[in-house]
Amino acid sequence: MKTTPTQLKILSIDIGGSSIKATILNSNGDLKMDYNKIVTPSPANPDNVIKAIKTLVEKFPAYDKISVGFPGYVRNGVVKTAPNLGDSYWKDVDFRKKLEESLGKDAQVVNDADMQGLGVVSGKGLEMVITLGTGFGTALLMDGHLLPHLEISHHPVSKGRDYDQYIGDQALEKVGEKQWNRRMKKVFNILKTVFNYDYLYIGGGNSDVLNFKLDKNMKIVTNADGIKGGAKLWKEDKHPITHTAMATPTK
């Protein structure tokens, strides 16, 4: 019997600097099982990451499609940058093709913040998603559609440091929670001034460290919420960015 869109089971994977998480979703983004995780291998080169994913999903139920959120700049399934996994390992790697060859199913690969954005936004107005973890991830969506991905994390923010260096894991460990929160207040003010978003969603493990009151149009979201975005990548959406370009700039 032919698989209909409502029957699709989607393996949704979130690759992070410290762990790789995965679950099975239906087409509506509902979890069909609790998400599991495995430690990100070191070195985190493509072969090792593929091996870790295969180990992680070995006992998962059957699935029809694969969606991956990747911590870097991705163009049409090809990785261009992977600052927190190792740029030299990943430059110009066709990760979508490698996944399809290894797991035997059609795959989509997008930036991890982009996938999280698809999972958490309301679909109304200009919404921004940031992830606070090993590095700083960002996504922009207009009325639920992904806009071309911008690597905002590499923009200088203070004394020649980019956002990854200013508020990433290493910065938090170096300066401590008090100073890091002062930096986050500065970053939030910059984002509010530059992007004029209608709503800001904050994900990633370090969102738990925030110790000050957020604006009414700001909300902390979980990894479980974000991984649901994997289902949206397989919607029959004819929007030129969300569906065909997969949230990546044209040449």
Side-chain angles (χ1 to χ4, degrees):
M1 184 176 70
K2 185 177 180 180
T3 302
T4 62
T6 55
Q7 295 171 325
L8 275 181
K9 294 180 179 63
I10 301 157
L11 172 62
S12 190
I13 304 169
D14 177 28
I15 299 175
S18 58
S19 66
I20 300 172
K21 309 172 190 69
T23 188
I24 303 290
L25 309 171
N26 65 16
S27 295
N28 295 321
D30 301 319
L31 273 69
K32 306 304 291 181
M33 58 175 285
D34 291 336
Y35 76 86
N36 293 343
K37 64 181 180 179
I38 191 171
V39 174
T40 303
S42 179
N45 58 44
D47 287 343
N48 286 345
V49 169
I50 289 284
K51 288 177 184 175
I53 289 172
K54 291 178 74 173
T55 299
L56 177 61
V57 307
E58 186 176 10
K59 296 182 180 179
F60 274 32
Y63 51 88
D64 308 298
K65 306 286 185 181
I66 305 167
S67 295
V68 177
F70 184 87
Y73 171 38
V74 182
R75 176 181 288 177
N76 297 323
V78 178
V79 176
K80 298 298 180 180
T81 66
N84 297 310
L85 299 183
D87 280 333
S88 60
Y89 298 136
W90 288 93
K91 183 173 174 56
D92 295 326
V93 169
D94 191 336
F95 194 44
R96 178 171 60 189
K97 182 179 179 181
K98 281 183 172 291
L99 282 166
E100 291 176 342
E101 290 174 348
S102 298
L103 299 178
K105 302 292 182 180
D106 292 339
Q108 301 280 15
V109 182
V110 297
N111 173 266
D112 54 352
D114 284 344
M115 191 168 86
Q116 183 163 50
L118 288 171
V120 302
V121 300
S122 70
K124 298 177 182 178
L126 179 62
E127 297 177 281
M128 186 172 193
V129 180
I130 66 170
T131 57
L132 305 175
T134 307
F136 178 66
T138 59
L140 287 168
L141 299 94
M142 175 61 82
D143 294 332
H145 296 294
L146 282 168
L147 299 179
H149 186 72
L150 304 174
E151 280 293 78
I152 297 167
S153 61
H154 300 313
H155 192 282
V157 63
S158 175
K159 299 177 182 178
R161 293 169 294 187
D162 63 19
Y163 284 89
D164 278 357
Q165 296 166 329
Y166 190 59
I167 54 171
D169 260 345
Q170 290 187 1
L172 173 57
E173 185 176 344
K174 181 178 180 180
V175 305
E177 293 186 11
K178 185 176 181 180
Q179 176 65 15
W180 184 83
N181 271 279
R182 283 201 289 265
R183 291 184 177 186
M184 283 307 309
K185 287 181 180 180
K186 175 181 176 179
V187 167
F188 284 143
N189 283 331
I190 292 171
L191 297 179
K192 181 164 50 176
T193 301
V194 172
F195 293 99
N196 292 296
Y197 51 76
D198 293 302
Y199 216 96
L200 177 70
Y201 301 85
I202 307 158
N206 289 341
S207 61
D208 293 339
V209 183
L210 295 170
N211 64 8
F212 53 90
K213 187 176 180 180
L214 303 175
D215 295 343
K216 291 182 178 179
N217 64 339
M218 299 164 66
K219 178 184 179 181
I220 293 176
V221 295
T222 68
N223 286 327
D225 294 325
I227 208 166
K228 295 177 183 178
K232 295 282 184 70
L233 294 178
W234 295 102
K235 290 286 188 183
E236 287 301 317
D237 181 354
K238 302 304 181 184
H239 188 271
I241 291 176
T242 305
H243 188 65
T244 57
M246 286 304 161
T248 55
T250 56
K251 291 183 180 179

